[in-house]
Amino acid sequence: MTLRRALVTGATGYIGGRLVPKLLEAGFSVRVLVRTPSKLRDVPWADQVEVVEGDLGDLASVERACVDIDVLYYLVHSMGAAGDFEKTEHTAAENVARAAAAAHVARIVYLGGLHPDTDTLSAHLRSRMEVGRILINSGVPTIAFQAGVVIGSGSTSFEMIRHLTDVLPYMPAPKWVRNKIQPIAVRDVLYYLQAAADLAPDVNRTFDIGGPDVLRYGQMMNGYALEAGLKQRAIAALPVLTPWLASQWVNLVTPIPRNLAIPIIASLQYDCVVHESDIDDFIPQPEGGLTGYRRAVRMALGRMRDGDVETSWRNSSIEGASSNPLPSDPDWAGHAVYTDLREKTTSADPAALWRVIESIGGENGWYSFPLAWAVRGLMDKAVGGVGLRRGRRNPDHLHNGEVLDFWRVEQIDHGSFLRLRAEMRVPGRAWLEMSVTPTDAGGSLYRQRAVFFPRGLGGRLYWVAILPFHGIIFEGMATRITATAAAERKAEAEHPLAAVSRSDEG
């Protein structure tokens, strides 16, 4: 039997965002359950899926999403969450189990984590195991895949390996660098997830999945180094580095924020290998076999070089960061609000100015006082924030809902308007807007507005403290952005063939 109506939870996440287009290509009718539908507005498959707004914690919205569904993909977990996330995940799993059973869903497919048979699991691994147990006992045939380190462009595990290896020629590391790991390529994870939809209804169990290589974590780092053209790194295992201390170290030297580093490192305290290979009796390995670690790294690096990173850990929701949109201006009445407005005219046409705006951040920087931006990023990392090094998924193009350094794109109207919502640690809520308006003279008006809603006295003092820097940072941004656009427009006018070539490449 081939199941053709799929519900994907976690479609805005790393795995879900890659699975949806594969299901569509395979002929599935796809529905997605998301808390923030606007995050899907710019994805290539947005108009090919049915979107249901809701949350797994709300039984009613899960019930609506499960109507007439054949296979439900459970790809949500709270890896970076704080507080009582185990209770949250338990409630979500119970809601899915109840709603799927009531709607007579034919199959649930869940992606959990590899773990040893021990009573001392980390809280996150314990919670993921419990979610799998709830779904298997739901009365709906369930496949609970258990995977370890997932290697692919933009995955959290790969990015941690990449940055640690790139930054440190010598690495004092916790003793878990000697633990055995069985990584799996993201392409193989997606293969198993899709194939699980067609398994017989009497299959209701967990399956361990992993790639062909069993390595120590230190070997994985040096395998990456060889593929990236770097020298192998000297690694010293130190027993004094606890998981908490190691997470602080990872937070400092990589873009991975502390709240994501802690659960990853906690899971590395154990050997993370496949204990049974029963999946081979139910799903044949992909054509050509499973992807080896070095090949998976090579492919991930190739996608990064080509700017073809479909999804990334960067776009994960950040615990504690504001997700509320900027209220409309009339709603500010009666509230303390601080703004910084800059306007500049330029001879560059709107298209040229927009290209500069949309490519801001990441490797291109912020066009003013780079030391100040770097220091602000380090300050944010020091208090457990995301810092400035999350970068961006694509060097030239932005989509609604994705990450840009320590901002998130809240609204983008391509060619005219960009609004960023701050996800750094600040005593309040902050936004940065940039817009383009054509002028009668054939040029453009650039408008830049920073908006800050302070929280308490601390928020007001924060704004006053950074006010002297605004004249340098924000004025410099406006000046250099418009000047860069004018210079690029002039270069295009002088070398029109180069402009045509660039347009063809895009």
Side-chain angles (χ1 to χ4, degrees):
M1 180 179 66
T2 300
L3 303 174
R4 291 299 174 192
R5 292 169 295 185
L7 169 64
V8 178
T9 67
T12 59
Y14 180 73
I15 296 293
R18 298 188 180 211
L19 179 63
V20 168
K22 290 192 173 297
L23 293 175
L24 291 170
E25 290 172 9
F28 284 81
S29 172
V30 178
R31 179 184 298 158
V32 298
L33 174 65
V34 294
R35 284 180 294 181
T36 311
S38 61
K39 286 187 177 182
L40 299 176
R41 190 180 69 177
D42 294 321
V43 298
W45 40 265
D47 59 352
Q48 302 175 55
V49 302
E50 178 188 355
V51 179
V52 175
E53 183 175 358
D55 189 288
L56 294 185
D58 173 31
L59 178 59
S61 62
V62 181
E63 289 175 336
R64 288 196 307 272
C66 285
V67 173
D68 295 328
I69 289 297
D70 295 309
V71 56
L72 185 156
Y73 285 94
Y74 192 112
L75 303 175
V76 175
H77 60 86
S78 305
M79 189 171 72
D84 194 359
F85 66 90
E86 289 186 86
K87 181 179 179 181
T88 300
E89 292 201 326
H90 187 279
T91 300
E94 289 280 8
N95 286 344
V96 169
R98 289 176 57 187
H104 305 290
V105 171
R107 163 73 62 202
I108 296 174
V109 182
Y110 169 61
L111 181 61
L114 275 177
H115 56 82
D117 186 11
T118 176
D119 294 330
T120 59
L121 290 175
S122 70
H124 285 84
L125 279 180
R126 185 172 63 242
S127 179
R128 296 179 80 174
M129 184 174 68
E130 174 66 6
V131 169
R133 184 195 65 78
I134 292 171
L135 298 177
I136 288 173
N137 293 334
S138 66
V140 177
T142 296
I143 299 297
F145 287 119
Q146 299 178 151
V149 171
V150 176
I151 301 299
S153 56
S155 78
T156 312
S157 298
F158 174 71
E159 289 294 294
M160 194 168 95
I161 293 169
R162 180 170 78 90
H163 284 280
L164 284 174
T165 310
D166 284 349
V167 170
L168 302 173
Y170 169 81
M171 181 177 172
K175 60 183 179 181
W176 48 254
V177 295
R178 295 175 177 167
N179 289 351
K180 292 181 179 179
I181 310 290
Q182 192 163 354
I184 183 169
V186 65
R187 62 186 296 165
D188 293 336
V189 173
L190 296 170
Y191 168 79
Y192 282 125
L193 289 172
Q194 182 178 328
D198 292 325
L199 288 178
D202 61 341
V203 183
N204 183 57
R205 54 166 292 184
T206 64
F207 286 103
D208 290 356
I209 55 173
D213 301 317
V214 176
L215 306 165
R216 298 188 187 279
Y217 198 84
Q219 291 176 314
M220 291 173 61
M221 293 179 64
N222 277 321
Y224 167 84
L226 291 173
E227 292 298 331
L230 304 172
K231 292 182 180 180
Q232 294 198 44
R233 296 337 198 190
I235 300 173
L238 305 178
V240 296
L241 282 179
T242 66
W244 186 86
L245 285 173
S247 68
Q248 311 311 305
W249 176 244
V250 169
N251 176 69
L252 179 65
V253 301
T254 80
I256 310 298
R258 186 184 303 154
N259 65 334
L260 289 180
I262 289 175
I264 292 175
I265 291 172
S267 68
L268 295 174
Q269 305 307 303
Y270 322 95
D271 287 340
C272 192
V273 297
V274 168
H275 296 289
E276 47 82 11
S277 300
D278 295 353
I279 190 63
D280 292 340
D281 298 329
F282 295 86
I283 299 175
Q285 292 189 3
E287 185 177 354
L290 295 168
T291 308
Y293 173 70
R294 292 274 298 272
R295 181 168 177 246
V297 169
R298 196 178 312 132
M299 294 171 67
L301 290 172
R303 280 187 172 272
M304 291 171 60
R305 283 192 297 269
D306 296 340
D308 187 24
V309 180
E310 295 174 74
T311 57
S312 171
W313 71 271
R314 295 173 175 84
N315 290 337
S316 302
S317 298
I318 298 299
E319 184 72 16
S322 172
S323 60
N324 296 325
L326 177 66
S328 60
D329 291 12
D331 293 335
W332 294 0
H335 296 276
V337 181
Y338 300 116
T339 62
D340 183 284
L341 178 64
R342 312 278 168 168
E343 293 184 340
K344 298 280 183 182
T345 56
T346 174
S347 59
D349 60 42
L353 180 55
W354 178 254
R355 280 198 299 272
V356 176
I357 292 173
E358 194 174 1
S359 62
I360 199 168
E363 295 297 324
N364 295 323
W366 290 86
Y367 292 95
S368 69
F369 205 175
L371 178 60
W373 286 97
V375 169
R376 184 64 183 87
L378 289 174
M379 291 171 59
D380 195 50
K381 292 288 278 184
V383 295
V386 296
L388 195 65
R389 295 174 56 202
R390 281 192 298 179
R392 48 184 294 158
R393 185 184 60 84
N394 183 287
D396 301 311
H397 304 293
L398 292 173
H399 295 309
N400 198 64
E402 71 179 15
V403 157
L404 176 57
D405 291 331
F406 48 40
W407 306 90
R408 187 177 296 270
V409 179
E410 181 172 286
Q411 180 182 340
I412 182 168
D413 301 321
H414 289 278
S416 61
F417 180 78
L418 173 65
R419 177 186 294 147
L420 306 175
R421 184 179 69 246
E423 290 194 334
M424 76 282 279
R425 299 291 180 93
V426 292
R429 295 185 291 149
W431 292 266
L432 179 63
E433 297 177 336
M434 290 169 272
S435 64
V436 178
T437 305
T439 62
D440 294 338
S444 307
L445 171 66
Y446 172 74
R447 190 172 188 265
Q448 174 184 294
R449 183 173 70 160
V451 181
F452 182 64
F453 281 60
R455 183 174 61 248
L457 178 61
R460 289 162 172 78
L461 294 176
Y462 170 82
W463 180 265
V464 172
I466 64 173
L467 197 58
F469 296 98
H470 286 180
I472 301 173
I473 296 174
F474 289 140
E475 181 65 20
M477 275 184 66
T479 299
R480 290 196 62 193
I481 285 173
T482 51
T484 300
E488 290 185 1
R489 185 68 187 91
K490 181 179 179 181
E492 288 179 359
E494 294 174 351
H495 304 284
L497 292 180
V500 170
S501 175
R502 184 172 67 182
S503 175
D504 290 343
E505 291 172 359

